[in-house]
Coordinates of all heavy atoms in Angstrom, one line a residue:
M268 N -13.9 0.0 -14.2 CA -14.2 1.2 -13.5 C -13.0 2.2 -13.8 O -11.9 1.8 -13.6 CB -14.4 1.0 -12.0 CG -14.6 2.3 -11.2 SD -14.8 1.9 -9.5 CE -15.1 3.5 -8.8
T269 N -13.3 3.4 -14.3 CA -12.2 4.4 -14.5 C -12.0 5.2 -13.2 O -12.9 5.9 -12.7 CB -12.6 5.3 -15.7 OG1 -12.9 4.5 -16.8 CG2 -11.4 6.2 -16.0
I270 N -10.8 5.1 -12.7 CA -10.3 5.8 -11.5 C -9.2 6.8 -12.0 O -8.3 6.4 -12.6 CB -9.8 4.9 -10.4 CG1 -10.9 3.8 -10.1 CG2 -9.3 5.6 -9.2 CD1 -10.4 2.7 -9.2
P271 N -9.4 8.1 -11.6 CA -8.4 9.0 -12.1 C -7.0 8.8 -11.5 O -6.9 8.4 -10.3 CB -8.9 10.4 -11.6 CG -9.9 10.1 -10.6 CD -10.4 8.7 -10.8
R272 N -6.0 8.9 -12.4 CA -4.6 8.7 -12.0 C -4.1 10.0 -11.4 O -4.5 11.1 -11.8 CB -3.8 8.3 -13.3 CG -2.3 8.1 -13.0 CD -1.7 7.5 -14.3 NE -0.3 7.5 -14.2 CZ 0.5 6.8 -15.0 NH1 0.0 6.2 -16.1 NH2 1.8 6.8 -14.9
L273 N -3.3 9.9 -10.3 CA -2.7 11.1 -9.7 C -1.9 11.9 -10.7 O -1.2 11.3 -11.5 CB -1.9 10.8 -8.5 CG -2.5 10.1 -7.3 CD1 -1.4 9.9 -6.2 CD2 -3.7 11.0 -6.8
T274 N -1.9 13.2 -10.7 CA -1.0 14.0 -11.5 C 0.4 13.9 -10.8 O 0.5 13.4 -9.7 CB -1.4 15.5 -11.4 OG1 -1.3 16.0 -10.1 CG2 -2.8 15.7 -12.0
D275 N 1.4 14.3 -11.5 CA 2.8 14.2 -11.0 C 2.9 15.0 -9.7 O 3.5 14.6 -8.7 CB 3.8 14.7 -12.0 CG 4.0 13.7 -13.1 OD1 3.3 12.6 -13.1 OD2 4.7 14.0 -14.1
A276 N 2.2 16.2 -9.7 CA 2.3 17.0 -8.5 C 1.5 16.4 -7.3 O 2.0 16.4 -6.2 CB 1.6 18.4 -8.8
E277 N 0.4 15.8 -7.6 CA -0.3 15.1 -6.5 C 0.5 13.9 -6.0 O 0.5 13.6 -4.8 CB -1.7 14.6 -7.1 CG -2.7 15.6 -7.3 CD -3.9 15.1 -8.1 OE1 -3.7 14.1 -8.9 OE2 -5.0 15.7 -8.0
R278 N 1.2 13.2 -6.9 CA 2.0 12.1 -6.6 C 3.1 12.5 -5.6 O 3.4 11.9 -4.6 CB 2.6 11.4 -7.8 CG 3.5 10.3 -7.6 CD 4.4 10.0 -8.8 NE 5.3 11.2 -9.0 CZ 5.8 11.5 -10.2 NH1 5.6 10.8 -11.2 NH2 6.6 12.6 -10.3
D279 N 3.8 13.6 -6.0 CA 4.9 14.1 -5.2 C 4.5 14.6 -3.9 O 5.1 14.3 -2.8 CB 5.6 15.2 -6.0 CG 6.3 14.7 -7.3 OD1 6.4 13.5 -7.4 OD2 6.6 15.6 -8.1
Q280 N 3.3 15.2 -3.8 CA 2.7 15.7 -2.5 C 2.4 14.5 -1.6 O 2.7 14.4 -0.4 CB 1.5 16.5 -2.7 CG 0.9 17.1 -1.4 CD 1.9 18.0 -0.7 OE1 2.5 18.9 -1.4 NE2 2.2 17.8 0.6
A281 N 1.8 13.4 -2.3 CA 1.4 12.2 -1.5 C 2.7 11.6 -0.9 O 2.7 11.2 0.3 CB 0.7 11.3 -2.4
L282 N 3.7 11.5 -1.7 CA 5.0 10.8 -1.2 C 5.6 11.7 0.0 O 6.1 11.2 0.9 CB 6.0 10.6 -2.3 CG 5.7 9.4 -3.2 CD1 6.5 9.5 -4.4 CD2 6.0 8.1 -2.4
H283 N 5.5 13.0 -0.2 CA 6.0 13.9 0.9 C 5.2 13.7 2.2 O 5.8 13.7 3.3 CB 5.8 15.4 0.4 CG 6.3 16.3 1.5 ND1 5.4 16.9 2.4 CD2 7.5 16.9 1.8 CE1 6.1 17.7 3.2 NE2 7.3 17.7 2.8
D284 N 4.0 13.4 2.1 CA 3.1 13.2 3.3 C 3.1 11.8 3.8 O 2.4 11.5 4.7 CB 1.7 13.7 3.0 CG 1.6 15.1 2.6 OD1 2.6 15.9 3.0 OD2 0.7 15.5 1.9
L285 N 3.8 10.9 3.1 CA 3.8 9.4 3.5 C 5.2 9.0 3.8 O 5.9 8.3 2.9 CB 3.2 8.6 2.4 CG 1.7 8.7 2.2 CD1 1.2 8.1 0.9 CD2 0.9 8.1 3.4
P286 N 5.8 9.4 4.9 CA 7.2 9.0 5.2 C 7.4 7.5 5.2 O 6.5 6.7 5.7 CB 7.4 9.6 6.6 CG 6.1 9.9 7.2 CD 5.2 10.1 6.0
G287 N 8.5 7.0 4.6 CA 8.8 5.6 4.5 C 8.4 5.0 3.2 O 8.9 3.9 2.9
W288 N 7.4 5.6 2.5 CA 7.0 5.0 1.3 C 7.9 5.6 0.1 O 8.3 6.8 0.2 CB 5.5 5.4 1.0 CG 4.6 4.7 1.9 CD1 4.2 5.1 3.2 CD2 3.8 3.5 1.7 NE1 3.3 4.2 3.7 CE2 3.1 3.2 2.8 CE3 3.8 2.7 0.5 CZ2 2.2 2.1 2.9 CZ3 2.9 1.6 0.6 CH2 2.2 1.3 1.8
T289 N 8.1 4.8 -0.8 CA 8.9 5.3 -2.0 C 8.2 5.0 -3.3 O 7.4 4.1 -3.4 CB 10.3 4.5 -2.0 OG1 10.1 3.1 -2.1 CG2 11.1 4.9 -0.8
L290 N 8.6 5.8 -4.3 CA 8.0 5.5 -5.6 C 8.7 4.4 -6.3 O 9.9 4.3 -6.2 CB 8.1 6.8 -6.5 CG 7.5 6.8 -7.8 CD1 5.9 6.7 -7.7 CD2 7.9 8.1 -8.6
S291 N 7.9 3.5 -6.9 CA 8.5 2.3 -7.5 C 9.4 2.7 -8.8 O 9.1 3.8 -9.3 CB 7.4 1.3 -8.0 OG 6.6 2.0 -8.9
D292 N 10.3 1.9 -9.2 CA 11.1 2.2 -10.3 C 10.3 2.5 -11.6 O 10.7 3.3 -12.4 CB 12.1 1.0 -10.6 CG 13.1 0.9 -9.5 OD1 13.3 1.8 -8.7 OD2 13.7 -0.2 -9.4
D293 N 9.2 1.8 -11.7 CA 8.3 2.0 -12.9 C 7.4 3.2 -12.8 O 6.7 3.6 -13.7 CB 7.5 0.7 -13.2 CG 6.6 0.4 -12.1 OD1 6.4 1.2 -11.2 OD2 6.0 -0.8 -12.2
G294 N 7.5 3.8 -11.6 CA 6.7 5.1 -11.3 C 5.2 4.8 -11.2 O 4.4 5.8 -11.1
L295 N 4.8 3.6 -11.2 CA 3.3 3.3 -11.2 C 2.8 2.9 -9.8 O 1.6 2.7 -9.6 CB 3.1 2.1 -12.1 CG 3.5 2.3 -13.6 CD1 3.2 1.0 -14.4 CD2 2.7 3.4 -14.2
A296 N 3.7 2.9 -8.8 CA 3.2 2.4 -7.5 C 4.1 3.0 -6.3 O 5.1 3.6 -6.6 CB 3.4 0.9 -7.4
I297 N 3.6 2.9 -5.1 CA 4.3 3.3 -3.9 C 4.6 2.0 -3.2 O 3.8 1.1 -3.2 CB 3.6 4.3 -3.1 CG1 2.2 3.9 -2.7 CG2 3.7 5.7 -3.8 CD1 1.5 4.9 -1.7
E298 N 5.8 1.9 -2.5 CA 6.2 0.7 -1.9 C 6.8 1.0 -0.5 O 7.2 2.1 -0.2 CB 7.3 0.0 -2.8 CG 6.8 -0.4 -4.1 CD 8.0 -0.8 -5.1 OE1 9.1 -0.4 -4.9 OE2 7.7 -1.7 -5.9
I299 N 6.7 0.0 0.3 CA 7.3 0.1 1.7 C 7.7 -1.3 2.2 O 7.0 -2.3 1.8 CB 6.3 0.8 2.7 CG1 7.0 1.2 3.9 CG2 5.1 -0.1 3.0 CD1 6.3 2.2 4.8
D300 N 8.7 -1.4 2.9 CA 9.2 -2.6 3.6 C 8.9 -2.4 5.1 O 9.5 -1.5 5.7 CB 10.6 -2.9 3.3 CG 10.9 -3.3 1.9 OD1 9.9 -3.8 1.2 OD2 12.0 -3.1 1.4
L301 N 8.2 -3.3 5.7 CA 7.9 -3.3 7.1 C 8.4 -4.5 7.8 O 8.5 -5.6 7.2 CB 6.4 -3.2 7.3 CG 5.6 -2.0 6.7 CD1 4.1 -2.2 6.9 CD2 6.1 -0.7 7.4
E302 N 8.9 -4.3 9.0 CA 9.4 -5.4 9.8 C 8.7 -5.4 11.2 O 8.5 -4.4 11.8 CB 10.9 -5.2 10.1 CG 11.6 -6.4 10.8 CD 13.1 -6.3 10.7 OE1 13.6 -5.7 9.7 OE2 13.8 -6.9 11.6
F303 N 8.3 -6.6 11.6 CA 7.5 -6.8 12.8 C 8.3 -7.6 13.8 O 9.3 -8.2 13.5 CB 6.1 -7.4 12.5 CG 5.3 -6.5 11.6 CD1 5.4 -6.6 10.3 CD2 4.4 -5.5 12.2 CE1 4.6 -5.7 9.4 CE2 3.7 -4.7 11.4 CZ 3.8 -4.8 10.0
G304 N 7.7 -7.8 15.0 CA 8.5 -8.6 16.0 C 8.6 -10.0 15.7 O 9.7 -10.7 15.9
D305 N 7.6 -10.6 15.1 CA 7.6 -12.0 14.7 C 6.6 -12.2 13.6 O 5.9 -11.3 13.2 CB 7.4 -12.9 15.9 CG 6.1 -12.6 16.6 OD1 5.2 -12.1 16.0 OD2 6.0 -12.9 17.8
F306 N 6.5 -13.5 13.2 CA 5.5 -13.8 12.1 C 4.1 -13.5 12.6 O 3.3 -13.0 11.8 CB 5.6 -15.3 11.7 CG 4.5 -15.7 10.7 CD1 4.6 -15.3 9.4 CD2 3.5 -16.4 11.1 CE1 3.6 -15.6 8.5 CE2 2.5 -16.8 10.2 CZ 2.6 -16.4 8.9
N307 N 3.8 -13.8 13.8 CA 2.4 -13.6 14.3 C 2.0 -12.1 14.2 O 0.9 -11.8 13.8 CB 2.3 -14.1 15.8 CG 0.9 -14.2 16.3 OD1 0.1 -14.8 15.6 ND2 0.6 -13.5 17.4
E308 N 2.9 -11.2 14.6 CA 2.6 -9.8 14.4 C 2.5 -9.4 13.0 O 1.5 -8.7 12.6 CB 3.7 -9.0 15.1 CG 3.7 -8.9 16.6 CD 4.7 -7.9 17.1 OE1 5.1 -6.9 16.4 OE2 5.3 -8.1 18.2
A309 N 3.3 -9.9 12.1 CA 3.3 -9.6 10.7 C 2.0 -10.0 10.1 O 1.3 -9.3 9.4 CB 4.4 -10.2 10.0
F310 N 1.6 -11.3 10.5 CA 0.3 -11.8 9.9 C -0.9 -11.1 10.4 O -1.9 -10.9 9.7 CB 0.2 -13.3 10.0 CG -0.7 -14.0 9.0 CD1 -0.2 -14.2 7.7 CD2 -2.0 -14.3 9.4 CE1 -1.1 -14.8 6.8 CE2 -2.9 -14.8 8.4 CZ -2.4 -15.1 7.2
G311 N -0.8 -10.7 11.7 CA -1.9 -9.9 12.3 C -2.1 -8.6 11.6 O -3.2 -8.2 11.2
F312 N -1.0 -8.0 11.2 CA -1.0 -6.7 10.4 C -1.7 -7.0 9.1 O -2.6 -6.3 8.6 CB 0.4 -6.2 10.2 CG 0.6 -5.2 9.1 CD1 0.2 -3.9 9.2 CD2 1.1 -5.7 7.9 CE1 0.3 -3.0 8.2 CE2 1.3 -4.8 6.8 CZ 0.9 -3.5 7.0
M313 N -1.2 -8.1 8.4 CA -1.8 -8.4 7.1 C -3.3 -8.7 7.2 O -4.0 -8.4 6.3 CB -1.0 -9.6 6.5 CG 0.5 -9.3 6.2 SD 1.4 -10.7 5.6 CE 0.7 -10.9 3.9
T314 N -3.7 -9.3 8.2 CA -5.1 -9.6 8.4 C -5.9 -8.3 8.5 O -7.0 -8.2 7.8 CB -5.3 -10.5 9.7 OG1 -4.6 -11.7 9.5 CG2 -6.8 -10.8 9.9
R315 N -5.4 -7.3 9.2 CA -6.1 -6.1 9.3 C -6.2 -5.3 8.0 O -7.2 -4.8 7.6 CB -5.5 -5.2 10.4 CG -5.6 -5.7 11.8 CD -5.0 -4.7 12.8 NE -5.8 -3.5 12.9 CZ -5.4 -2.4 13.7 NH1 -4.3 -2.5 14.4 NH2 -6.2 -1.3 13.7
V316 N -5.1 -5.4 7.3 CA -5.0 -4.7 6.0 C -5.9 -5.4 5.0 O -6.7 -4.8 4.3 CB -3.6 -4.7 5.4 CG1 -3.5 -4.2 4.0 CG2 -2.7 -3.8 6.3
A317 N -6.0 -6.7 5.1 CA -6.8 -7.5 4.1 C -8.3 -7.2 4.4 O -9.0 -7.0 3.4 CB -6.6 -9.0 4.3
I318 N -8.7 -7.1 5.6 CA -10.1 -6.7 5.9 C -10.4 -5.3 5.4 O -11.5 -5.1 4.7 CB -10.4 -6.9 7.4 CG1 -10.3 -8.3 7.8 CG2 -11.7 -6.2 7.8 CD1 -10.2 -8.5 9.3
H319 N -9.5 -4.4 5.6 CA -9.8 -3.0 5.1 C -9.8 -3.0 3.6 O -10.6 -2.3 3.0 CB -8.7 -2.1 5.7 CG -8.8 -0.7 5.2 ND1 -9.7 0.2 5.8 CD2 -8.2 0.0 4.2 CE1 -9.6 1.4 5.2 NE2 -8.8 1.3 4.3
A320 N -8.8 -3.7 3.0 CA -8.7 -3.7 1.5 C -10.0 -4.2 0.9 O -10.5 -3.7 -0.1 CB -7.6 -4.6 1.1
D321 N -10.6 -5.3 1.5 CA -11.8 -5.8 0.9 C -13.0 -4.8 1.1 O -13.8 -4.6 0.1 CB -12.2 -7.1 1.6 CG -12.4 -8.2 0.5 OD1 -11.8 -8.1 -0.6 OD2 -13.1 -9.1 0.8
K322 N -13.0 -4.1 2.2 CA -14.1 -3.1 2.4 C -13.9 -1.9 1.4 O -14.8 -1.4 0.8 CB -14.0 -2.5 3.8 CG -14.6 -3.5 4.9 CD -14.4 -2.8 6.2 CE -14.8 -3.8 7.4 NZ -14.5 -3.3 8.7
A323 N -12.6 -1.6 1.1 CA -12.3 -0.5 0.3 C -12.3 -0.9 -1.2 O -12.1 0.0 -2.1 CB -10.9 0.1 0.6
D324 N -12.4 -2.2 -1.4 CA -12.3 -2.7 -2.8 C -11.0 -2.3 -3.5 O -10.9 -1.9 -4.6 CB -13.5 -2.3 -3.7 CG -13.5 -3.1 -4.9 OD1 -13.0 -4.3 -4.9 OD2 -14.1 -2.6 -6.0
H325 N -9.9 -2.3 -2.7 CA -8.6 -1.9 -3.2 C -7.5 -2.7 -2.5 O -7.4 -2.7 -1.2 CB -8.3 -0.4 -2.9 CG -7.2 0.2 -3.7 ND1 -7.2 0.4 -5.0 CD2 -5.9 0.5 -3.3 CE1 -6.1 0.8 -5.4 NE2 -5.3 0.9 -4.4
H326 N -6.8 -3.6 -3.2 CA -6.0 -4.6 -2.7 C -4.5 -4.4 -2.9 O -4.1 -4.1 -4.0 CB -6.5 -5.9 -3.2 CG -7.9 -6.2 -3.0 ND1 -8.9 -5.6 -3.8 CD2 -8.6 -6.9 -2.0 CE1 -10.1 -6.0 -3.3 NE2 -9.9 -6.8 -2.3
P327 N -3.7 -4.6 -1.9 CA -2.3 -4.4 -2.1 C -1.7 -5.6 -2.8 O -2.2 -6.7 -2.8 CB -1.7 -4.4 -0.6 CG -2.7 -5.2 0.2 CD -4.0 -5.0 -0.5
E328 N -0.5 -5.4 -3.4 CA 0.4 -6.4 -3.9 C 1.4 -6.6 -2.8 O 2.0 -5.5 -2.4 CB 1.0 -6.1 -5.2 CG 0.0 -5.8 -6.3 CD 0.6 -5.1 -7.5 OE1 1.8 -5.0 -7.6 OE2 -0.2 -4.6 -8.3
W329 N 1.6 -7.8 -2.2 CA 2.5 -7.9 -1.1 C 3.2 -9.2 -1.0 O 2.8 -10.2 -1.7 CB 1.7 -7.6 0.2 CG 0.4 -8.3 0.5 CD1 -0.2 -9.2 -0.3 CD2 -0.5 -8.0 1.5 NE1 -1.4 -9.5 0.2 CE2 -1.6 -8.8 1.3 CE3 -0.4 -7.1 2.6 CZ2 -2.7 -8.8 2.2 CZ3 -1.5 -7.1 3.5 CH2 -2.6 -7.9 3.3
F330 N 4.3 -9.2 -0.2 CA 5.2 -10.3 -0.1 C 5.5 -10.4 1.4 O 5.9 -9.4 2.0 CB 6.4 -10.2 -0.9 CG 7.5 -11.3 -0.7 CD1 7.3 -12.5 -1.3 CD2 8.5 -11.0 0.2 CE1 8.3 -13.5 -1.1 CE2 9.5 -12.0 0.4 CZ 9.3 -13.3 -0.3
N331 N 5.4 -11.6 2.0 CA 5.7 -11.8 3.4 C 6.7 -12.9 3.6 O 6.5 -14.0 3.0 CB 4.4 -12.0 4.2 CG 4.7 -12.7 5.5 OD1 4.4 -13.9 5.7 ND2 5.3 -11.9 6.5
V332 N 7.7 -12.7 4.4 CA 8.6 -13.8 4.8 C 8.8 -13.5 6.3 O 9.3 -12.5 6.7 CB 9.9 -13.9 4.0 CG1 10.7 -12.6 4.0 CG2 10.7 -15.0 4.5
Y333 N 8.4 -14.4 7.1 CA 8.5 -14.4 8.6 C 8.0 -13.1 9.1 O 6.8 -12.8 9.1 CB 9.9 -14.7 9.0 CG 10.0 -14.8 10.6 CD1 9.2 -15.7 11.3 CD2 10.9 -14.0 11.3 CE1 9.3 -15.8 12.6 CE2 10.9 -14.0 12.7 CZ 10.1 -14.9 13.3 OH 10.2 -14.9 14.7
N334 N 8.8 -12.2 9.6 CA 8.4 -10.9 10.3 C 8.4 -9.7 9.3 O 8.2 -8.6 9.8 CB 9.2 -10.7 11.5 CG 10.6 -10.3 11.2 OD1 11.2 -10.9 10.3 ND2 11.2 -9.4 12.0
K335 N 8.7 -10.0 8.1 CA 8.9 -8.9 7.1 C 7.7 -8.9 6.1 O 7.3 -10.0 5.7 CB 10.2 -9.0 6.4 CG 11.4 -8.8 7.3 CD 12.7 -8.9 6.5 CE 13.9 -8.6 7.4 NZ 14.0 -9.6 8.5
V336 N 7.2 -7.7 5.8 CA 6.1 -7.6 4.8 C 6.5 -6.4 3.8 O 6.9 -5.3 4.3 CB 4.8 -7.2 5.4 CG1 3.7 -7.1 4.4 CG2 4.4 -8.2 6.5
R337 N 6.5 -6.7 2.5 CA 6.8 -5.7 1.5 C 5.5 -5.5 0.8 O 4.8 -6.4 0.4 CB 7.8 -6.3 0.5 CG 8.0 -5.4 -0.7 CD 9.2 -5.7 -1.5 NE 10.4 -5.4 -0.7 CZ 11.7 -5.7 -1.1 NH1 11.9 -6.3 -2.3 NH2 12.7 -5.4 -0.4
L338 N 5.1 -4.2 0.7 CA 3.8 -3.8 0.1 C 4.1 -2.9 -1.1 O 5.0 -2.1 -1.1 CB 2.9 -3.1 1.1 CG 2.5 -3.9 2.3 CD1 3.2 -3.5 3.5 CD2 1.0 -3.8 2.5
R339 N 3.3 -3.1 -2.1 CA 3.3 -2.3 -3.3 C 1.8 -1.9 -3.6 O 0.9 -2.8 -3.6 CB 3.8 -3.1 -4.5 CG 3.7 -2.3 -5.9 CD 4.3 -3.2 -7.0 NE 3.9 -2.7 -8.3 CZ 4.6 -2.0 -9.1 NH1 5.8 -1.6 -8.7 NH2 4.2 -1.5 -10.2
L340 N 1.6 -0.6 -3.6 CA 0.2 -0.1 -3.9 C 0.1 0.6 -5.2 O 0.9 1.5 -5.5 CB -0.2 0.9 -2.8 CG -0.2 0.4 -1.4 CD1 -0.5 1.5 -0.4 CD2 -1.1 -0.8 -1.2
T341 N -0.7 0.1 -6.1 CA -1.0 0.7 -7.4 C -2.5 0.5 -7.7 O -3.1 -0.4 -7.1 CB -0.1 0.1 -8.5 OG1 -0.2 0.9 -9.7 CG2 -0.4 -1.3 -8.7
T342 N -3.0 1.3 -8.6 CA -4.4 1.1 -9.0 C -4.5 0.6 -10.4 O -4.2 1.4 -11.4 CB -5.2 2.5 -8.9 OG1 -5.0 2.9 -7.5 CG2 -6.6 2.3 -9.2
H343 N -4.8 -0.6 -10.5 CA -4.8 -1.3 -11.9 C -5.7 -0.5 -12.8 O -5.4 -0.3 -13.9 CB -5.2 -2.8 -11.7 CG -4.4 -3.5 -10.7 ND1 -3.0 -3.6 -10.7 CD2 -4.8 -4.1 -9.5 CE1 -2.6 -4.3 -9.7 NE2 -3.6 -4.6 -8.9
D344 N -6.9 -0.2 -12.2 CA -7.9 0.5 -13.0 C -7.5 1.9 -13.5 O -8.2 2.5 -14.4 CB -9.2 0.6 -12.2 CG -9.8 -0.8 -11.9 OD1 -9.3 -1.8 -12.5 OD2 -10.7 -0.9 -11.1
A345 N -6.5 2.5 -12.9 CA -6.0 3.8 -13.3 C -4.7 3.7 -14.1 O -4.3 4.7 -14.6 CB -5.8 4.7 -12.0
G346 N -4.2 2.6 -14.1 CA -2.9 2.4 -14.8 C -1.7 3.1 -14.1 O -0.8 3.6 -14.7
G347 N -1.9 3.2 -12.8 CA -0.8 3.9 -12.0 C -1.3 4.2 -10.6 O -2.1 3.5 -10.0
L348 N -0.9 5.4 -10.1 CA -1.3 5.7 -8.7 C -2.6 6.5 -8.7 O -2.8 7.4 -9.6 CB -0.2 6.6 -8.1 CG 1.1 5.9 -7.6 CD1 2.2 6.8 -7.3 CD2 0.7 5.0 -6.4
S349 N -3.4 6.2 -7.7 CA -4.7 7.0 -7.5 C -4.8 7.3 -6.0 O -4.0 6.9 -5.2 CB -5.9 6.2 -8.0 OG -6.1 5.2 -7.0
M350 N -5.9 8.1 -5.7 CA -6.1 8.4 -4.3 C -6.4 7.2 -3.5 O -6.2 7.2 -2.3 CB -7.3 9.4 -4.2 CG -6.9 10.9 -4.4 SD -5.5 11.3 -3.3 CE -6.2 11.2 -1.7
R351 N -6.8 6.1 -4.1 CA -7.1 4.9 -3.4 C -5.8 4.3 -2.8 O -5.8 3.8 -1.7 CB -7.7 3.8 -4.3 CG -9.1 4.1 -4.7 CD -9.8 2.9 -5.4 NE -11.2 3.2 -5.7 CZ -12.0 2.2 -6.1 NH1 -11.5 1.0 -6.3 NH2 -13.2 2.5 -6.4
D352 N -4.7 4.5 -3.5 CA -3.4 4.1 -3.0 C -3.0 4.9 -1.8 O -2.4 4.5 -0.8 CB -2.4 4.1 -4.1 CG -2.7 3.2 -5.3 OD1 -3.0 2.0 -5.1 OD2 -2.9 3.7 -6.4
V353 N -3.2 6.2 -1.9 CA -2.8 7.2 -0.9 C -3.6 6.8 0.4 O -3.1 6.7 1.5 CB -3.1 8.6 -1.3 CG1 -2.8 9.6 -0.2 CG2 -2.2 9.0 -2.5
E354 N -4.9 6.6 0.2 CA -5.8 6.3 1.3 C -5.4 5.0 2.0 O -5.4 4.8 3.2 CB -7.3 6.3 0.9 CG -7.8 7.6 0.6 CD -9.0 7.6 -0.4 OE1 -9.5 6.5 -0.8 OE2 -9.4 8.7 -0.8
M355 N -5.0 4.0 1.2 CA -4.6 2.7 1.7 C -3.3 2.9 2.5 O -3.1 2.3 3.6 CB -4.4 1.7 0.6 CG -3.9 0.3 1.1 SD -5.0 -0.5 2.3 CE -6.3 -1.1 1.2
A356 N -2.4 3.7 2.0 CA -1.1 3.9 2.6 C -1.3 4.6 4.0 O -0.7 4.3 5.0 CB -0.2 4.7 1.7
Q357 N -2.2 5.6 4.0 CA -2.6 6.3 5.2 C -3.1 5.3 6.2 O -2.8 5.4 7.4 CB -3.6 7.4 4.9 CG -3.0 8.6 4.1 CD -4.0 9.6 3.6 OE1 -5.2 9.3 3.5 NE2 -3.6 10.8 3.3
F358 N -4.0 4.4 5.8 CA -4.5 3.4 6.7 C -3.4 2.6 7.3 O -3.3 2.4 8.5 CB -5.5 2.5 6.0 CG -6.0 1.3 6.8 CD1 -6.9 1.5 7.8 CD2 -5.4 0.1 6.6 CE1 -7.3 0.4 8.6 CE2 -5.8 -1.0 7.4 CZ -6.7 -0.9 8.4
I359 N -2.5 2.1 6.4 CA -1.4 1.3 6.9 C -0.5 2.1 7.9 O -0.1 1.5 8.9 CB -0.6 0.8 5.7 CG1 -1.4 -0.3 4.9 CG2 0.8 0.2 6.1 CD1 -0.9 -0.6 3.5
D360 N -0.2 3.3 7.5 CA 0.6 4.1 8.5 C 0.0 4.3 9.8 O 0.6 4.4 10.8 CB 0.9 5.5 7.8 CG 2.0 5.4 6.7 OD1 2.5 4.3 6.5 OD2 2.3 6.4 6.1
G361 N -1.4 4.2 9.8 CA -2.1 4.4 11.1 C -2.1 3.2 11.9 O -2.5 3.2 13.1
I362 N -1.7 2.0 11.4 CA -1.8 0.8 12.2 C -0.5 0.1 12.5 O -0.4 -0.9 13.2 CB -2.8 -0.3 11.6 CG1 -2.3 -0.8 10.3 CG2 -4.2 0.3 11.5 CD1 -3.0 -2.0 9.8
V363 N 0.6 0.7 12.0 CA 1.9 0.1 12.2 C 2.6 0.7 13.5 O 2.2 1.9 13.8 CB 2.9 0.2 11.0 CG1 2.4 -0.7 9.9 CG2 3.1 1.6 10.6
Ligands
HBI438 N1 -7.0 -3.2 -6.2 N2 -4.9 -2.4 -6.2 C1 -6.1 -2.5 -6.8 N3 -6.3 -1.9 -8.0 C2 -7.5 -1.9 -8.6 O1 -7.7 -1.3 -9.7 C3 -8.5 -2.7 -8.0 C4 -8.2 -3.3 -6.8 N4 -9.1 -4.1 -6.2 C5 -10.4 -4.3 -6.8 C6 -10.7 -3.5 -8.0 N5 -9.7 -2.8 -8.6 C7 -12.1 -3.5 -8.6 O2 -12.3 -2.6 -9.6 C8 -12.4 -4.9 -9.1 O3 -13.7 -4.8 -9.7 C9 -11.4 -5.3 -10.1

């Protein structure tokens, strides 16, 4: 499925509107490091994101150790950032 990649201007605007998220070194993703009270809270967060991701058919790349979760959002089908990543980041910002 071809999903349009964000323009540089759209990318910059998205990052401006998503505090805490940063552009990856390769420029293809947005990333954030989150810290929760304990593993149970972290995994509960991951469960909510996983359910949303499956409904949205858009899945994060993530790493969890105890109460920390690192997320990377990119759109493989676009070869970089798309609105799907922005929407997923907005969802995440809304539940942390
Ligand atoms: N998740 N992050 C991400 N990027 C994608 O391009 C993507 C996905 N989840 C599912 C998906 N694409 C669908 O197109 C599957 O058919 C591959």
